[in-house]
Structures are given as C-alpha cells and as structure tokens.
C-alpha cells in the first residue's frame, strides 16, 4: 500500500515535470525561398511574431527568407531530418517527394481559386496530408500564391505552339516538364533565386510565374513578352518535422495550429491582393519594355482545349484518386 506522503510527493514531482515540459523554451527554424515582402514572406513573419507574442518569447521562430539557408528541395530534406523544423515549399517541389502534389500543376485542371480552396479542405487535402506523413514530413496547411502566366524574351505567345523550341525555367515537376514538352518547348529546372540572372544572361528564354513573384523578383524588367494564360496554380505546403512535432506537448501543438490557422487566412488574403496590385504595377512600370498579351475568351478556350486533350498523359503522373477528385471540383 502506498503511503499518503509518498503519493503526494509523487504527484508533486509529476506536476513539476509536466510544467517543465510545457514551459520549455525552444526555437523553430523556418526556411523559405521568396522575399520577406511577398505574401508568403509576410505571412511567415506574422506567424513568427504572433507565436512569440502569445508565448512571451518562450517559443522563438528563426526565419530564413529568400533561400539564404536552403532552397525548397533541400528544405524538405532538412525538415524530414529535423535540421530545420518548418518550411513552405511550392507544391511542385513537394511533388518530388509526393507525386500527387503535382495535381495543382496540371494546366487548367482547376478553373478558379474556389476550386483550389475546395481541394485544400476536401478529399484532396486529406490524401496529401496522409501521403506527406508517409514521406517523412507533416503537412499542416496550404497557402496560396496564384495562377501563373508565361513570359519570354523571344516572341509574343498567343497559342501553346508559339512556345516551340524556347527554353523555360520550371520548378522541376514531371507535370511541368510534360506541359512544355507538349508545346515542343524545353523545360529546365533551376532554383527560384537564380531566375532573374538566368533570364538576364539569356541562359533560358522564359519562365512561368505569378504576378507577385514576377514583380518582386523584377523578372518583368528582363523579359519582353508576357501572356496572361492563368494555366496552372502556384501554391505552397506548410510542413513541419514529425520528430519535432512528436516531442511537443499537446498544448503547444494546439497553439501552433491555432496561430497557423489565422496565418493561413491572412496569407490567402495577402496573395489575392498582392497579385492584383502587382499586375498593375507591372503594366504601368514605364522602365519595363514588356508587352502584355491578355487572351480573349476564344483564345483562352484554345489553350484549355489543347491541354485537356492531353489529360490522359497528365493523369499518369498522379494517382487515380487525386485526379478523379480534382475532376469532381469542376
């Protein structure tokens, strides 16, 4: 029989240990590849400031922006090994670890942002979270950037065939490689941080990106032509190290999720607003010589029909369940 004094002492020790675990100070290292003024960069800084404020500095977030520490591909590996704790790679880069993330790269598979957000919160999101954990990282949230447009230095592009023989920088997914291959163009994968120099030096002819990435990286200053194709979606997965996550008290996990939920709502708004504003900044930039091609309805339909004719090929890259769920959202 346990004596009353021993029992009380044991409870005190347990409570002390629990308090120590809860009150432990630690740092989250968070890497990303875009500028701090981008929607993602601003959202990560909000996450940092809010989490640090709510814990009175007990939890600190060390942010490494603009690829100064790691590019997206290396960051995923670092998260898996708990070298860093968090990252927010583009879907295309996560697709190198979980192929189904490339569903967002398939041209015109999603018609608008509502369908994208339904994918995040529906079966597609659930499937990606499960497969991410099996791949060695935990997917906590989905963040927006926007629909992509095409730029190049050689000629105005009105139809997909106009890209023939041009070299485009891509993020490296199989879907993106096939996308340009179908247009008889050449796709090369390079880190985002090197895109401006590659275009300026003529190593590649063009690239695809969102308005805010184009403007923040000054890509429009070294490109002559832009086609507003809105052909594929650029988004990000916010991931965390499973090793790190398992060691956290339940209370800290709940806190991080709560702050991240509010951050995600903010990030979605920032992305929509900044893409809208940056389009007009690019359009009205008198120092830039870029010519913007806005597709008419019938021209846009030609792009959509061209790529939809090849959906059977794109569907071979992702799993049947992901592709069929995406089709249901149309």
């Amino acid at each position: 029989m346990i004596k009353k004094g021993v029992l009380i002492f044991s409870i005190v020790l347990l409570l002390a240990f629990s308090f120590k675990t809860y009150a432990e100070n630690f740092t989250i290292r968070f890497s990303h590849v875009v500028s701090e003024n981008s929607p993602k960069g601003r959202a990560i800084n909000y996450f940092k400031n809010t989490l640090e404020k709510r814990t009175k500095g007990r939890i600190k977030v060390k942010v490494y922006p603009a690829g100064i520490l790691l590019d997206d591909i290396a960051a995923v590996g670092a998260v898996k090994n708990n070298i860093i704790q968090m990252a927010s790679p583009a879907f295309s880069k996560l697709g190198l670890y979980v192929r189904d993330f490339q569903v967002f790269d398939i041209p015109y598979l999603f018609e608008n942002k509502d369908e994208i957000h339904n994918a995040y919160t529906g079966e597609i999101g659930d499937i990606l979270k499960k497969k991410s954990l099996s791949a060695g990282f935990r997917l906590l949230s989905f963040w927006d950037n926007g629909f992509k447009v095409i730029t190049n230095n050689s000629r105005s592009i009105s139809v997909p065939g106009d890209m023939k023989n041009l070299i485009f920088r891509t993020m490296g997914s199989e879907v993106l490689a096939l996308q340009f291959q179908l247009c008889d163009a050449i796709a090369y994968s390079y880190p985002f941080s090197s895109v401006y120099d590659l275009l300026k030096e003529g190593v590649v002819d063009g690239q695809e990106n969102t308005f805010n990435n184009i403007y923040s990286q000054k890509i429009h200053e070294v490109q002559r032509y832009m086609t507003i194709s809105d052909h594929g979606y650029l988004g990000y997965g916010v991931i965390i190290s499973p090793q790190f996550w398992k060691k956290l008290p339940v209370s800290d996990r709940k806190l991080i999720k709560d702050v991240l939920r509010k951050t995600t709502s903010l990030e979605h708004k920032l992305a929509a607003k900044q893409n809208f504003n940056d389009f007009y900044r690019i359009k009205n930039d008198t120092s830039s010589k870029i010519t913007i091609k806005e597709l008419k309805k019938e021209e846009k339909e030609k792009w959509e029909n061209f790529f939809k004719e090849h959906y059977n090929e794109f569907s071979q890259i992702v799993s049947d369940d992901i592709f069929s769920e995406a089709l249901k959202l149309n």
Side-chain angles (χ1 to χ4, degrees):
M1 184 175 177
I2 301 175
K3 293 182 178 180
K4 184 178 180 181
V6 174
L7 180 59
I8 293 173
F9 181 73
S10 299
I11 293 172
V12 170
L13 281 178
L14 180 61
L15 289 172
F17 178 79
S18 299
F19 179 78
K20 183 179 178 182
T21 302
Y22 174 79
E24 184 179 358
N25 295 347
F26 58 86
T27 298
I28 297 173
R29 295 172 179 82
F30 199 142
S31 174
H32 68 92
V33 300
V34 296
S35 73
E36 291 187 279
N37 290 326
S38 67
K40 180 164 68 171
R42 291 165 65 190
I44 291 173
N45 285 336
Y46 172 85
F47 174 79
K48 164 189 166 65
N49 294 333
T50 304
L51 191 57
E52 290 180 348
K53 182 177 180 180
R54 288 184 60 174
T55 61
K56 298 180 180 179
R58 179 175 64 82
I59 301 176
K60 296 188 183 301
V61 182
K62 175 64 176 175
V63 180
Y64 299 91
I68 60 173
L69 184 66
L70 299 163
D71 65 27
D72 272 349
I73 296 175
V76 178
V79 166
K80 290 176 65 174
N81 290 292
N82 200 25
I83 297 169
I84 61 172
Q85 287 66 54
M86 294 184 71
S88 52
F91 294 148
S92 297
K93 300 299 177 64
L94 289 170
L96 300 175
Y97 296 86
V98 177
R99 296 178 79 191
D100 282 346
F101 275 101
Q102 296 181 62
V103 71
F104 295 105
D105 290 332
I106 298 176
Y108 301 108
L109 184 57
F110 299 94
E111 293 183 2
N112 52 55
K113 196 177 294 181
D114 287 340
E115 290 185 6
I116 295 288
H117 288 177
N118 287 337
Y120 291 168
T121 58
E123 186 66 20
I124 288 176
D126 291 340
I127 292 170
L128 291 174
K129 286 178 180 178
K130 291 176 184 177
K131 293 191 175 184
S132 294
L133 202 54
S134 297
F137 53 90
R138 180 177 287 273
L139 177 64
L140 294 180
S141 190
F142 297 89
W143 285 1
D144 288 343
N145 190 312
F147 284 94
K148 295 178 290 185
V149 301
I150 291 172
T151 69
N152 84 100
N153 263 331
S154 297
R155 52 183 173 264
S156 178
I157 294 172
S158 298
V159 294
D162 290 337
M163 290 185 272
K164 184 175 182 179
N165 296 328
L166 299 183
I167 303 172
F168 289 89
R169 177 268 175 183
T170 75
M171 289 184 284
S173 81
E174 296 170 78
V175 166
L176 296 182
L178 176 58
Q179 169 189 280
F180 286 109
Q181 179 185 329
L182 292 171
C183 301
D184 294 319
I186 302 166
Y188 276 108
S189 176
Y190 292 98
F192 180 66
S193 58
S194 64
V195 174
Y196 177 88
D197 290 333
L198 291 169
L199 294 169
K200 185 177 181 180
E201 295 168 12
V203 177
V204 297
D205 297 298
Q207 59 88 56
E208 56 171 9
N209 234 307
T210 60
F211 293 128
N212 80 67
N213 277 356
I214 290 170
Y215 186 77
S216 67
Q217 297 298 309
K218 301 181 179 180
I219 289 172
H220 63 294
E221 295 181 2
V222 290
Q223 293 278 263
R224 294 180 60 193
Y225 304 98
M226 174 189 290
T227 300
I228 304 179
S229 49
D230 293 333
H231 58 283
Y233 200 76
L234 173 56
Y236 311 106
V238 181
I239 63 174
I240 196 166
S241 164
Q243 298 174 47
F244 172 74
W245 189 252
K246 286 178 183 178
K247 293 179 181 178
L248 292 178
V250 173
S251 55
D252 280 347
R253 293 182 196 173
K254 288 181 178 178
L255 177 61
I256 289 171
K257 283 183 176 180
D258 182 57
V259 174
L260 189 58
R261 183 166 52 251
K262 294 175 182 176
T263 304
T264 297
S265 177
L266 172 66
E267 195 280 337
H268 288 178
K269 294 174 184 176
L270 289 173
K273 182 178 181 179
Q274 195 153 340
N275 270 305
F276 179 84
N277 290 338
D278 285 347
F279 167 68
Y280 287 100
R281 290 187 180 109
I282 293 168
K283 191 173 184 178
N284 298 321
D285 188 347
T286 56
S287 65
S288 171
K289 297 180 181 179
I290 197 165
T291 300
I292 299 175
K293 168 71 176 178
E294 298 189 55
L295 298 176
K296 297 177 182 177
K297 182 179 179 181
E298 57 271 21
E299 292 177 315
K300 183 78 168 288
E301 288 175 351
K302 289 181 180 179
W303 283 72
E304 293 173 354
N305 293 335
F306 172 82
F307 285 110
K308 286 181 178 180
E309 287 175 2
H310 296 279
Y311 272 8
N312 183 57
E313 295 168 70
F314 287 113
S315 68
Q316 303 304 307
I317 298 173
V318 299
S319 62
D320 291 339
D321 52 352
I322 281 282
F323 190 74
S324 61
E325 284 297 326
L327 290 176
K328 292 178 184 177
L329 296 174
N330 287 292

